[in-house]
Amino acid sequence: MKSTDAKYPIAEKKPKKLVKHGDVRVDNYFWMRLSDEQKLAPVKDAHTQKVINYLEAENDYHDKITAYNKNFEEELFLEMKGRIKEDDATVPYKDNGYFYITRYEKGKQYPIYSRKKEHLEAEEQIMFDVNQMSKGYEYYKLGGLNISPNNKLAVFATDTVSRRQYFLRIKNLETGEIYKDIIDNTTGGSVWANDNKTIFYTKKNPVTLRSEKIYRHVLGTPTSEDVEVYHEKDETFGTYVTISKSKKYIIIGSYSTTSTEAQFLEADNPTGEFKILQPRVKDLEYNVEHYKENFYLLTNKDKATNFKLMKTPVTKTTLENWIDVIPHREDTLLEDFSIFKEYLVLEERSNGLNKVRIKRWDNKEDYYLPFNEETYSVGVYGNPEFDTDIIRYSYNSFTTPSSIIDFNMNDKTKDIKKEQEVLGGKFKKENYISKRVWAPARDGKKVAISLVYHKDTQLNENTPLLQYAYGSYGYTIPDSFSTTRLSLLDRGFVYALAHIRGSEYLGRNWYEDGKMLNKKNTFTDFIDCSKYLIANKYTSSKHLYAMGGSAGGLLMGAITNINPDLYNGIIAAVPFVDVISTMLDDSIPLTTGEYDEWGNPNDKEFYDYIKSYSPYDQVDSKAYPNMLVTTGFHDSQVQYWEPAKWVAKLRELKTDDNLLLLRTNMGAGHGGASGRFEALKETAKDYTFILALENKLED
């Protein structure tokens, strides 16, 4: 980066003592925290304005430091935008007599949702044009589209702040009228009963944002008269409502990280009483679907660590009645299942790779779909129809653009409905190499790293490499195609995705070994992958960059405290870095539901362990790599003050002259900007940061 006279802001220090278990921590930057009311107030009080002024001063410093790169950043944005088919559309899917389509028009930021009756040649009916709906908003998100059984009405959800607190409204698709019914502070999801006038929806706690209550609303009645049908009182659980694919049962689910519970009600009887399927039991998880006279359950019952499929009669649903359909396997994680009239479809993961298994109910056939690449991603989705031989799935890899494929489970033919177009005339699949290597972790485990790079890139200690990971909540980042990533690969970068513990890449135990009191395995796995890549001449510490977001941002904070010398640059997006303070404050959104992931620091054993890796608490007087930290002012998942305080403390203590930049999107939350082009601009900023560090740019 070019030198500049710009001076970074120095945050005021206002020491606040925090005492727990006899341990005293001093937080000099606790004052940066604002409540939602303060953030959203039309007139800001002096303290609120002080915090906003600090964040804007950091933004101003970021802009001045990166000013000389603006032309390249714009060039990069246009390059990324140029690969996207702007007037694009999803593959239509059929549901209850209509084909549904989401499409984009050239130059427009937001989607248009439409449908066609019975056949694709029918006249298009535009249900929602989000480009029109979003006018006047800095952030706008439409979600939760849910069509009534008679196809006449649609529930839709909107979020204009980016805190994932959605308003629910109902639109008459025949007349275009949007009804007066407005339901606030919901998750955005809803379920229609079969009477076409009753909907069930989930309300959030207005302070903690925990999904805690299920309500029933009848069309045309005041929302003040909505009936609370369920209240999840356990603060470590959330709740949701859905409907079975058979459309026969409305299901209320309660969930924590380690336990679940379901209740069911016939969708023809919306005012009836929900019945508990199986009362919650510690460490028992089950997800439910319905088929004929049975419920089917994806569960870890009987210590089935990698899950199995069981069934139980609708009339006898408790634990003692469950019987195996697909037994547990030590080497295969059962991730999901889909039910069709003639077929059962299973989504499995073995040795880190997705597999799709198709099994006839009459047991005449049982086979896997064939996939040939060494690393790839496949997922079954968009299959609302029950009585069909066709299963739709998506397939892509690091080198193969996303394809939507319809597979006939009867005659085993497949129809590629669409392959993602990469415009610009430069992309050729054969120009890129993808492979998987296994890095030894310090405790003897092997950690997979998926790699992709241009065939002309020479692999040596001078090769720039961006290493990415997440490593929490059991979420496994897929080895998927990215058009934006091409801007790095075409400039000589290697991209490495590390499948560290905390994900379920190698099964459920891989997750269990990277959470709670095993959390540090996530961080050391990432570091050991970095050391492997350096030792095997894929790169060197001078050219190694790391990136992660949210819980992956915690990972970035941890590795920079443990091994800052390994990396030339770090991008920490919306990073969860003040772990101990957040997990001690149950008024902060979503905290209580996280105890089973990180541990409850009200217990001293967990307090000591979390504090020992919490990035904010472990900042020390030493040299740190170049760092770009990003956040959103309205983030409900990781509050903006965590990265803001972290940057302030780093500025106070770090001993190096490396760059430290904080960029706060003052109009967005956890997911960043809402428009598709605005999101690309944020990616262009991130990539410009590491490309500039790599000295690829001209002065």
Side-chain angles (χ1 to χ4, degrees):
M1 293 268 182
K2 184 178 281 188
S3 61
T4 176
D5 293 332
K7 300 297 183 184
Y8 57 77
I10 299 174
E12 181 183 353
K13 293 170 65 173
K14 297 175 67 174
K16 181 178 178 64
K17 281 188 177 182
L18 302 170
V19 183
K20 190 71 177 179
H21 305 299
D23 180 54
V24 179
R25 293 178 299 131
V26 177
D27 188 345
N28 289 322
Y29 306 105
F30 189 89
W31 62 268
M32 292 186 184
R33 174 176 171 173
L34 296 176
S35 68
D36 288 344
E37 290 75 17
Q38 289 173 304
K39 285 190 290 181
L40 297 173
V43 179
K44 311 300 185 190
D45 60 37
H47 176 64
T48 301
Q49 195 58 54
K50 179 180 177 180
V51 174
I52 291 173
N53 289 345
Y54 171 73
L55 296 175
E56 289 180 339
E58 284 283 7
N59 280 349
D60 183 59
Y61 175 69
H62 168 277
D63 291 346
K64 287 177 178 175
I65 287 289
T66 60
Y68 87 101
N69 289 329
K70 282 299 176 185
N71 289 339
F72 178 78
E73 184 185 305
E74 177 67 13
E75 177 187 323
L76 203 59
F77 162 69
L78 293 174
E79 178 180 295
M80 293 174 179
K81 183 181 176 185
R83 297 192 190 102
I84 296 173
K85 190 174 188 294
E86 291 192 44
D87 53 344
D88 204 2
T90 59
V91 178
Y93 71 89
K94 192 175 184 183
D95 187 15
N96 197 22
Y98 280 81
F99 284 95
Y100 288 88
I101 305 154
T102 304
R103 62 180 178 83
Y104 288 89
E105 292 183 347
K106 191 174 180 64
K108 293 185 177 180
Q109 292 260 29
Y110 293 97
I112 296 169
Y113 296 93
S114 66
R115 67 179 184 175
K116 297 182 178 183
K117 189 174 183 179
E118 294 180 355
H119 54 82
L120 290 172
E121 291 72 37
E123 182 180 355
E124 180 188 46
Q125 177 190 6
I126 293 178
M127 300 184 295
F128 299 94
D129 183 345
V130 188
N131 299 287
Q132 296 297 321
M133 300 168 73
S134 62
K135 286 183 176 178
Y137 294 99
E138 186 173 354
Y139 179 94
Y140 194 90
K141 182 77 171 179
L142 179 76
L145 296 187
N146 184 14
I147 311 299
S148 62
N150 63 8
N151 290 313
K152 295 181 179 181
L153 305 168
V155 182
F156 65 100
T158 56
D159 174 12
T160 57
V161 178
S162 187
R163 279 186 68 78
R164 304 185 186 183
Q165 292 173 281
Y166 287 88
F167 287 93
L168 283 183
R169 302 198 70 180
I170 300 169
K171 182 175 183 177
N172 187 315
L173 295 176
E174 294 185 325
T175 67
E177 178 188 1
I178 295 178
Y179 295 155
K180 294 180 180 178
D181 317 60
I182 301 178
I183 304 167
D184 65 355
N185 194 33
T186 78
T187 61
S190 64
V191 169
W192 285 97
N194 288 340
D195 63 359
N196 296 292
K197 66 178 183 180
T198 304
I199 64 169
F200 293 84
Y201 63 90
T202 311
K203 274 263 197 183
K204 291 187 169 187
N205 181 292
V207 176
T208 67
L209 302 189
R210 182 172 68 91
S211 306
E212 64 176 4
K213 294 181 179 180
I214 308 296
Y215 282 86
R216 183 178 69 234
H217 173 74
V218 178
L219 198 64
T221 64
T223 56
S224 60
E225 296 179 6
D226 289 0
V227 177
E228 180 187 307
V229 296
Y230 180 64
H231 180 191
E232 177 51 70
K233 295 181 180 179
D234 188 330
E235 292 184 348
T236 66
F237 278 72
T239 188
Y240 64 91
V241 62
T242 186
I243 191 166
S244 64
K245 188 174 179 178
S246 66
K247 307 298 183 187
K248 187 166 183 180
Y249 292 102
I250 293 167
I251 297 166
I252 292 175
S254 293
Y255 60 92
S256 71
T257 306
T258 60
S259 302
T260 54
E261 180 181 79
Q263 307 171 54
F264 62 98
L265 172 71
E266 289 193 2
D268 289 335
N269 181 30
T271 59
E273 293 292 322
F274 280 84
K275 179 182 178 182
I276 291 181
L277 190 149
Q278 162 60 41
R280 67 191 64 178
V281 175
K282 182 175 172 56
D283 297 327
L284 174 68
E285 298 177 65
Y286 65 92
N287 291 329
V288 60
E289 256 298 352
H290 168 252
Y291 177 60
K292 293 186 176 178
E293 59 279 341
N294 292 305
F295 285 124
Y296 283 76
L297 308 128
L298 180 65
T299 179
N300 63 349
K301 181 180 179 290
D302 306 321
K303 298 182 180 178
T305 307
N306 278 333
F307 290 80
K308 61 180 176 177
L309 189 66
M310 304 186 78
K311 70 177 181 179
T312 191
V314 170
T315 55
K316 297 179 180 179
T317 61
T318 49
L319 208 57
E320 66 273 12
N321 300 295
W322 299 8
I323 60 172
D324 281 6
V325 177
I326 303 294
H328 177 252
R329 289 155 292 170
E330 294 291 341
D331 62 348
T332 301
L333 175 66
L334 183 57
E335 293 188 316
D336 205 354
F337 69 103
S338 303
I339 287 176
F340 296 83
K341 184 178 180 181
E342 302 291 339
Y343 300 90
L344 171 65
V345 176
L346 304 165
E347 293 180 74
E348 303 175 352
R349 186 179 293 274
S350 178
N351 196 34
L353 300 179
N354 301 123
K355 295 185 177 180
V356 178
R357 180 181 175 187
I358 296 172
K359 178 180 172 65
R360 287 185 61 96
W361 289 112
D362 60 14
N363 291 319
K364 289 182 179 178
E365 283 191 305
D366 186 348
Y367 59 93
Y368 287 88
L369 296 182
F371 305 114
N372 300 318
E373 292 186 87
E374 186 176 359
T375 65
Y376 61 85
S377 175
V378 64
V380 175
Y381 86 108
N383 291 279
E385 292 203 305
F386 175 71
D387 187 4
T388 178
D389 290 338
I390 304 296
I391 180 177
R392 176 165 292 175
Y393 67 92
S394 65
Y395 178 89
N396 70 135
S397 72
F398 275 165
T399 59
T400 305
S402 179
S403 296
I404 307 300
I405 299 166
D406 281 356
F407 180 81
N408 188 308
M409 297 180 283
N410 183 33
D411 63 20
K412 298 185 178 62
T413 58
K414 71 177 183 179
D415 179 11
I416 300 175
K417 306 299 291 186
K418 180 181 180 179
E419 181 171 298
Q420 176 186 3
E421 291 186 59
V422 183
L423 303 184
K426 295 181 180 179
F427 173 74
K428 291 182 180 179
K429 175 182 176 179
E430 57 271 21
N431 286 342
Y432 301 89
I433 296 170
S434 173
K435 65 179 181 179
R436 190 169 57 155
V437 297
W438 295 84
R442 60 194 66 185
D443 63 355
K445 299 287 178 67
K446 295 284 189 179
V447 184
I449 311 172
S450 300
L451 299 165
V452 61
Y453 50 92
H454 195 282
K455 67 177 184 180
D456 294 338
T457 297
Q458 299 296 311
L459 300 179
N460 55 49
E461 60 271 15
N462 295 315
T463 306
L465 186 148
L466 175 60
Q467 184 179 331
Y468 191 93
Y470 184 70
S472 291
Y473 302 104
Y475 177 66
T476 302
I477 297 179
D479 292 351
S480 54
F481 187 78
S482 166
T483 59
T484 56
R485 190 189 300 138
L486 295 174
S487 292
L488 291 180
L489 304 185
D490 290 349
R491 289 174 172 82
F493 265 76
V494 176
Y495 178 81
L497 176 56
H499 299 290
I500 55 182
R501 276 173 279 190
S503 75
E504 290 185 340
Y505 190 78
L506 293 178
R508 182 72 174 194
N509 282 328
W510 199 245
Y511 167 42
E512 298 290 342
D513 210 19
K515 62 184 282 199
M516 303 284 275
L517 296 173
N518 296 319
K519 189 64 213 170
K520 290 181 183 178
N521 287 334
T522 301
F523 316 138
T524 55
D525 278 0
F526 190 91
I527 289 168
D528 291 343
C529 287
S530 299
K531 290 179 177 178
Y532 172 87
L533 292 168
I534 292 170
N536 286 274
K537 298 293 192 296
Y538 285 95
T539 188
S540 62
S541 59
K542 189 184 296 185
H543 298 281
L544 178 58
Y545 304 87
M547 183 175 183
S550 194
L554 160 62
L555 170 65
M556 295 299 101
I559 65 168
T560 53
N561 282 327
I562 300 168
N563 268 109
D565 54 309
L566 275 180
Y567 308 95
N568 187 37
I570 300 281
I571 298 178
V574 292
F576 177 37
V577 285
D578 190 11
V579 187
I580 193 73
S581 293
T582 291
M583 294 306 299
L584 279 170
D585 188 347
D586 60 14
S587 72
I588 293 176
L590 311 177
T591 290
T592 54
E594 303 278 299
Y595 289 156
D596 289 329
E597 179 71 23
W598 313 102
N600 184 346
N602 290 296
D603 177 326
K604 189 175 187 303
E605 181 182 22
F606 284 109
Y607 175 92
D608 291 340
Y609 187 77
I610 294 171
K611 183 185 174 186
S612 73
Y613 69 73
S614 176
Y616 184 62
D617 293 280
Q618 296 302 317
V619 173
D620 203 357
S621 297
K622 60 186 174 186
Y624 284 85
N626 297 286
M627 296 172 67
L628 170 62
V629 182
T630 65
T631 186
F633 189 52
H634 296 290
D635 197 332
S636 60
Q637 311 299 109
V638 178
Q639 307 294 324
Y640 73 89
W641 63 74
E642 292 199 33
K645 293 195 317 179
W646 183 44
V647 167
K649 191 172 182 179
L650 282 165
R651 291 207 190 287
E652 175 192 350
L653 294 177
K654 75 190 192 84
T655 60
D656 58 86
D657 293 323
N658 290 329
L659 277 174
L660 175 58
L661 301 176
L662 173 65
R663 187 177 79 233
T664 303
N665 187 327
M666 300 301 291
H670 200 62
S674 55
R676 57 176 175 159
F677 302 140
E678 292 305 312
L680 279 182
K681 288 179 181 178
E682 292 188 348
T683 302
K685 288 178 185 292
D686 293 345
Y687 282 7
T688 298
F689 175 76
I690 56 176
L691 285 165
L693 290 174
E694 192 53 29
N695 297 317
K696 296 290 185 183
L697 305 180
E698 296 180 2
D699 289 349

